[in-house]
Amino acid sequence: MRAEIEDFLVHEADLLDSGRYADWLDLLHEDFLYRVPVPLAREDPTQSPYDDVLEFANESKSFLEMRFRRIASDFAWAERPAAMVRHFVSNFRITPEGGDVEAYAVRTNVMVVRARLPEVPVIATAGRHDRIVRQDGVLLLASRVVHLDAEVPTESQLGVIF
Amino acid sequence: MRAEIEDFLVHEADLLDSGRYADWLDLLHEDFLYRVPVPLAREDPTQSPYDDVLEFANESKSFLEMRFRRIASDFAWAERPAAMVRHFVSNFRITPEGGDVEAYAVRTNVMVVRARLPEVPVIATAGRHDRIVRQDGVLLLASRVVHLDAEVPTESQLGVIF
Amino acid sequence: MRAEIEDFLVHEADLLDSGRYADWLDLLHEDFLYRVPVPLAREDPTQSPYDDVLEFANESKSFLEMRFRRIASDFAWAERPAAMVRHFVSNFRITPEGGDVEAYAVRTNVMVVRARLPEVPVIATAGRHDRIVRQDGVLLLASRVVHLDAEVPTESQLGVIF
Amino acid sequence: MSIASEPTAVPRSFYRDPAVLERELGEVFGRSWLFVAHESEIPQVGDYVTRSMGGDPVIVSRTQGDGVRVMLNSCTHRGTQVCKVSHGNTTTFRCGYHGWVFGTDGDLKGVPGRRALYGPDFDLSRLGLRQARTEVLHGLIFATWDPDAPDLMTSLGEFGWYLDAFFGLFPGGMEVYGGMHRVNVRGNWKIHAENFSGDGYHLQVAHRTMFELGVMGDQAGAVEGFVVNDPNGHCLRSQYLADEGVPATVFGYEDELIEKALAAADPEVRRFREKTTVIHGLVYPNLLLITTAPRYFGTDADGSVAFTQLRVLTPIDQHHHEVAYWSLVPRDASPEWKAKSYLYVTRQHGAASYFEADDLENFRRIDAGLGAVAGARTPYNYELGVGAAESGPPPWRGPGRIVRQDFTEANQRTFVGRYLEQMGERA
Amino acid sequence: MSIASEPTAVPRSFYRDPAVLERELGEVFGRSWLFVAHESEIPQVGDYVTRSMGGDPVIVSRTQGDGVRVMLNSCTHRGTQVCKVSHGNTTTFRCGYHGWVFGTDGDLKGVPGRRALYGPDFDLSRLGLRQARTEVLHGLIFATWDPDAPDLMTSLGEFGWYLDAFFGLFPGGMEVYGGMHRVNVRGNWKIHAENFSGDGYHLQVAHRTMFELGVMGDQAGAVEGFVVNDPNGHCLRSQYLADEGVPATVFGYEDELIEKALAAADPEVRRFREKTTVIHGLVYPNLLLITTAPRYFGTDADGSVAFTQLRVLTPIDQHHHEVAYWSLVPRDASPEWKAKSYLYVTRQHGAASYFEADDLENFRRIDAGLGAVAGARTPYNYELGVGAAESGPPPWRGPGRIVRQDFTEANQRTFVGRYLEQMGERA
Amino acid sequence: MSIASEPTAVPRSFYRDPAVLERELGEVFGRSWLFVAHESEIPQVGDYVTRSMGGDPVIVSRTQGDGVRVMLNSCTHRGTQVCKVSHGNTTTFRCGYHGWVFGTDGDLKGVPGRRALYGPDFDLSRLGLRQARTEVLHGLIFATWDPDAPDLMTSLGEFGWYLDAFFGLFPGGMEVYGGMHRVNVRGNWKIHAENFSGDGYHLQVAHRTMFELGVMGDQAGAVEGFVVNDPNGHCLRSQYLADEGVPATVFGYEDELIEKALAAADPEVRRFREKTTVIHGLVYPNLLLITTAPRYFGTDADGSVAFTQLRVLTPIDQHHHEVAYWSLVPRDASPEWKAKSYLYVTRQHGAASYFEADDLENFRRIDAGLGAVAGARTPYNYELGVGAAESGPPPWRGPGRIVRQDFTEANQRTFVGRYLEQMGERA
Ligand code: FES
Ligand code: FES
Ligand code: FES
Ligand SMILES: [Fe+3]
Ligand SMILES: [Fe+3]
Ligand SMILES: [Fe+3]
């Protein structure tokens, strides 16, 4: 199971990195939501730096479908040339939810490298809080919350799905 | 066993990254010592670049307890706001010592990202030489030597436990 | 088998990082070829950015032996002092070829840190397409194609074997 | 209008030369009224946020007696930042180096060992945090370092009327939703400012995919537009529906709320806002504003919902600038509607949105295209609308220089003119 | 030759000061003929590549009527790069910001809404992409921004003869194999240029491992050499075998091909090329060239195979420059031979090769050794060959200032002299 | 002492402007005596270490005849660094580019092909590595590039007495333990220099956690202090125990060792060192020193052990500097004690220690608080101690301007005064 979930997330990253977006969407649960809350420096170290309201991104499956439809268009200027993207996934922490549906809370650390040739590659790192469920025998990504390690990221760092 | 040790080190990194220092200290053997020798460029490639005497850090468990007591203080200026830290652990190389106490020499490569918001994150990489022992059934970190990949690190790169 | 291949590649990286080049060469199949095609920005996102002809490196086993003989020389200026190199290997994707010789297509993502002390470390990232075969019971690296994430790398980034 | 009477373009060197940036910090950011925060971000006494005014870090705080202060975030002893976080609530700012303590009003309240170490005659009142002049309009907090600058309303000139129409529509006023966040982007800050000043021309090309995806809804229909500008450099562009079939209202708000607002609104303001599909503009030099009501952003964001976004541009170096984003909502709107408005603004104009990506891509490609020798000989072109016909009068009457063209560079010329004037590049 | 008549060294500050780099972009890169591409890279109408001319990005395209154009890759409206990729084929370049459309010849072909928005009198012909003067020699495309520069052949002076000998040897001409690739390296660009201008002196030390490994083959034998230079700053170094036992031929080409070429060649050119083991040189200011035929690069690269490499140096900042690499092969060579030639150049002079690493290491160590105060007082030394004897005449007669020394800094002095002259540092 | 007679503050632009840094390299680092290494780092003939003198890389080597040389690490041919590592032992430095060979004394010993290539008259003696003036005091190696600078002792002025007391206490002398290591930190180098010149005022606030943790031991008790400075910019601060109950001794050394030392010491020096809890200071412009004896750093570091740390500050750019750290121990101390002293210095003042972190945090926050327009109008304040009472005389008599205040900015004013004088900012 551990290996299955690790392979699932490595495969999922591979689909994003190779631009196979339709296949990637197939890995998403219908209710999938992708959130990137904004980190803000707080005085009290016990407070989470991740804001409850502010978010860099909030994307549902249907919105992501729009995003990828756009990428296919000849007028997606920011995607011409397409960026090279590579995910490095590590520090898997898998916790079965133990409810009656088979579901797992999976935490990973991810480094994403993005290069818009010929510009130099840009690195962004984050922690991911995923929920993975098994539906009809297959694993699906039910939600992803990204804890970015930057308060003021660059547009290039934000230009990827973590 | 391989999985157990990998999980142990991933969990250990998680405790550091989430600021659960008391729990982290519980993972340390009484005689734990944390050392970061200074790398220096040598003419002879067969000589180790890591100096025998010079060290960026040399911290025992009791000294680390002082460090964390300090972090809890309102006057730990360098920790206000607290830095965001994230470990990326990979390239596990586990060698049982084969003595009569169950102990392992574990080598890993680690990338640590540290961000003092709103400043941009700083990356540091190193190789780690850990000794992990089993005591009363539980794994404990007995020692860690960090081989930093920089001769002249920045204060931010040194501001973490690798 | 999965663990065996992961350990093989982690060990292989370790040999490179610790300068044990003779041992590393022993892991190579006689016909081993190491290629780093040049990535170029293309208008059409369906075209691979990796050029069919242009390559940053094309190195056979016998040529690599020359490279390492040179490194042993006192006049390998670029290796005095020797660079510190560290590989971070992740996102293992292993596909058995299923032919009659036991062979695997193994894809990994790799980050390589290179530091010529006292200069600051340089990071390069790439995807690797390896072919690993079992010959006389032992695994050998039959070929490696490196998909670099930079169109205009620095000499430091090119100064390593990925 | 003849090009002759207009400023020539900004030399490309002004987008490359670090010495020019240093001059801009002094002449433009040091002499203008700059937006720093919205009152709703610091509702309680002791609330504060930290911001930038060009190259100077500031604290914006709410003090006793409900005053708002904007002051340099730098200790008067040895310059240490006395506040290191993005926002919070406090009674004092204590310097971490030697412990000088400042009030939320910036006054130096305490100095460790003062009497013994500084002597009886040491006067604390000289050493409060440096204060910027501060004025508030519709909750928008502006500040300037220039003691000789005309007051805010004078500096806004005839543009004030449009800010009323923009921020004064709802009787209950507007508030910031959540707070502010920032992104660093490539490209000189002036490129971005110009874009918001009134560049309608790029929509159909740069953002064509938005139309293809049906995001714009009615905005994709028959539209006309106008631009308005003020000699002080303030600019605005208003696009509205020519389509008679569409009811006259401001789209995307809860019915009751908008009806109340329109009923109470000045008739001209009402006409100005009704049927407007998008208003964007620039409060010179670096406050950008936009309001519109997209139609569709996915099954969980279906139907027109309005949003109002503010941006502030802060130069990082000549090739990069920081963009700060705020989302404003009517204070009296329902929590559900506010959340939805924020969802829409995030998906259309959030830092990670692909609508935004199209603009940022152009900004970075302008930066990559600056060149050196040949670039210096290739001035930008500002002739759009020059010698072109104007349309009929707008359906409203407002002050300022109104140009009855939807696609024109009249506003960009205004921005450039004011900028060159401040930089001492024009007689 | 007396040192007195020679220029003094370039001050070290010229390798550290960003203001000097800005001047170089104008005085050196803005006034010289610069190599941008080879015709074989854009064989078809509509083919293009994107390159740099010093600090200016350009498009090199093949237009209708088989013309070659070099033009600034920056829209004449607001400066956006109109081409964002390394190479391709197109009929037009469309700007992504507002959609202006340019032909492959740079002419402004279309402007969205032109008539309505710019008026009837708007003249597109003023607003084509900025064109550079362009000339082609043996397929090498050169361009310059200077309208007053003498034409290419005049600028090449007596060096033209050597370019004929270098690129004109094969009746079928030469072509680029694969294309161009680039690397960023540390060190001021001038250090690299000087190295190629004629630094034979560093071979035995910097590249000693190559000899140890037997890569050089016959080049390790008894060699003599000459350097040639032209007051315009162009330099070349030719090393050939003194060993009578070695047959007179140009090594490393397919027999039939080279025999045909030599038979058809001008007798002096033939003598020049025969028995030459390596030719390298500099077409001032930043085109480097080298041809040689290594003997052994592993069991899969055994036996002499010739290669011809071109490089262009583009400054990034005072401490870094970009190196672009091309490999040229005779158009009439077999596909197998061409592939082999590329393999050899990759292993000897590719960006990742260790031969290259030796040079790059020296360049970065020169940069690290620049110093500040003491460095400024320690000028570089250019006396190599001064007051030393010259050898017998070369086995060929060619134009230019021929110095009959293999190890000499006569060429470096020429490069420095021309550079200081262009920079206005010499009377 | 009246503020009027004191220099005004350094303008904030001096912490931001790259042109100022370039001037500092010339006027301050180019004209002052700079500490480069300790003799014990190069005990054997042929031993060397590589260091920086401001912007110039140098080699410090031990030559035949026991001489010490400090020379520019840059080949006199084309500037390549002739030594690329941190330390080692050698007979020659061979340049990797063309093979010129220099002796450990910097003399040019060999040039490949000299006679044939450079001619018979080529004079090697002109082309040795550039030498800096060098003087040694208590094993401290100082060097300067200024031929006109007064000798070291003259430059140290009355501060020499304190260096004797600091480094001359132990008859056997002191040695470096291990070697030197470096860290890059944010903040202009002058902020750090000022801090060590005599900033006792920040201890109770910036380092409060140290007291909370009981690290300081007796230092937390009743202390008094003095600062001493010299017009040449050298500064020192001495804090000692007012508590009579504490025996008079220098804490933290092995009894026998310290007793021998004190017995042999000059009576005034003995009084100066006895009961001193901490001495820190600045040898202008960039050598920092501190000695103290912490009480507790964990169960494996319990009980007072003294350490002596040296630091050298090297500017990287206007916003960053490099800090080099040395630990000195009495040569005659036991190996165990030496190791313990190094453990204590690492935990209190090592680059990764949290005591250090408090200071570095302040330096970076000063850098972040520099500002631009408003910052320029907000000078730093140097009035601490001005017009405040002085305490009784110190328990020792030493030369120099002694200010009988523990918390005062008399030394910072001295540093600033000397700095502005060297920079030509004061009459
Ligand atoms: S710098 Fe703020 S109290 Fe000294
Ligand atoms: S910038 Fe190219 S069309 Fe406007
Ligand atoms: S640069 Fe040192 S020998 Fe030429
Ligand atoms: Fe836009
Ligand atoms: Fe070379
Ligand atoms: Fe301190």
Side-chain angles (χ1 to χ4, degrees), chain D residues 22 25-27 29-31 54-57 72-81 83-84 94-100 111-120 122 126-127 130 145-147, chain F residues 12 15-16 191 194-195 199 201-203 205-206 208 359 361-389 405 407 409 412:
Chain D
E22 194 65 24
L25 292 180
E27 301 308 317
F29 291 88
R31 299 187 183 287
D56 292 284
L72 188 66
N73 184 7
S74 178
C75 182
T76 50
H77 178 224
R78 199 68 91 248
T80 309
Q81 284 186 327
C83 182
K84 309 193 294 183
R94 177 177 196 167
C95 181
Y97 200 175
H98 308 95
W100 285 18
V111 168
R114 169 190 175 180
R115 196 156 284 290
L117 303 181
Y118 282 92
F122 188 65
R126 289 181 297 120
L127 291 166
R130 174 164 296 274
W145 298 116
D146 184 0
Chain F
R12 286 195 184 199
Y15 297 81
R16 292 179 61 227
I191 298 165
E194 236 191 34
N195 173 276
D199 189 332
Y201 190 41
H202 79 291
L203 280 169
V205 174
R208 173 161 170 168
D359 287 318
E361 168 69 1
N362 283 314
F363 300 162
R364 65 194 301 113
R365 293 304 175 172
I366 288 174
D367 195 64
L370 283 172
V373 177
R377 301 175 191 160
T378 311
Y380 297 146
N381 181 281
Y382 285 87
E383 297 176 57
L384 182 65
V386 174
Q405 297 175 323
F407 296 156
E409 278 165 350
Q412 289 93 318

Side-chain angles (χ1 to χ4, degrees), chain A residues 143-154:
Chain A
S143 69
R144 169 165 294 168
V145 177
V146 176
H147 282 180
L148 203 58
D149 296 332
E151 177 171 337
V152 190
T154 66

Side-chain angles (χ1 to χ4, degrees), chain D residues 195-196 199 202-203 206-207 349 355-356 358-359 362-363, chain E residues 97:
Chain D
N195 174 276
F196 262 69
D199 190 332
H202 80 292
L203 280 169
H207 303 301
H349 271 307
F355 192 94
E356 193 69 7
D358 293 326
D359 287 317
N362 284 314
F363 300 162
Chain E
Y97 199 175

Side-chain angles (χ1 to χ4, degrees), chain E residues 11-13 16 368-380, chain F residues 22 24-27 29-31 34 51-59 70-76 79 128-133 143-147:
Chain E
R12 287 196 184 198
S13 62
R16 291 178 61 226
L370 283 171
V373 177
R377 301 174 191 161
T378 312
Y380 296 147
Chain F
E22 194 66 22
E24 288 176 347
L25 292 179
E27 301 307 317
F29 291 89
R31 298 188 185 284
L34 305 175
R51 300 290 151 87
S52 294
M53 288 173 64
D56 292 284
V58 296
I59 300 168
V70 179
M71 47 217 176
L72 189 66
N73 185 7
S74 178
C75 182
T76 49
L129 297 176
R130 175 163 294 276
Q131 305 276 329
R133 286 174 61 192
T144 183
W145 297 117
D146 185 358

